[in-house]
């Protein structure tokens, strides 16, 4: 993979992480999910909100793992 491709991939991953961060803050109503993980998602009574939180948390974790692998 070329340097340009890696930089573009890192930029896209940063965008995905930022989107997931913003959505998780919005769904949870706070940023405690960063330290609590899935426990923070038990709070919303609305099943749709819990579902969105779980989706974006999975996206955030995947992005973090890919970023770590790329260095």
């Amino acid at each position: 993979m070329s340097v340009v491709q890696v930089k573009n991939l890192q930029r896209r991953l940063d965008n995905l992480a930022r989107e997931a961060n913003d959505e998780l803050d919005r769904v949870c109503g706070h940023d405690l999910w960063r330290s609590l993980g899935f426990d923070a998602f038990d709070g919303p009574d609305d099943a749709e909100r819990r579902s969105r939180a779980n989706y974006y948390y999975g996206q955030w974790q995947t992005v973090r793992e890919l970023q770590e692998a790329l260095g």
Side-chain angles (χ1 to χ4, degrees):
M1 193 178 272
S2 75
V3 172
V4 172
Q5 289 173 316
V6 170
K7 286 188 179 196
N8 283 335
L9 178 58
Q10 287 173 334
R11 181 183 48 80
R12 283 184 255 147
L13 288 172
D14 286 340
N15 288 340
L16 286 171
R18 191 173 19 257
E19 175 190 19
N21 257 327
D22 293 346
E23 284 298 318
L24 286 166
D25 285 347
R26 189 173 302 122
V27 169
C28 295
H30 52 73
D31 63 355
L32 293 176
W33 62 267
R34 290 184 188 111
S35 59
L36 297 176
F38 281 120
D39 293 335
F41 308 142
D42 291 337
D45 293 330
D46 183 8
E48 182 181 333
R49 286 179 62 191
R50 276 195 311 272
S51 176
R52 279 187 24 218
N54 285 320
Y55 171 80
Y56 282 107
Y57 189 73
Q59 177 178 315
W60 182 79
Q61 280 187 311
T62 301
V63 167
R64 302 295 292 179
E65 289 172 11
L66 287 170
Q67 287 175 325
E68 285 178 20
L70 289 173

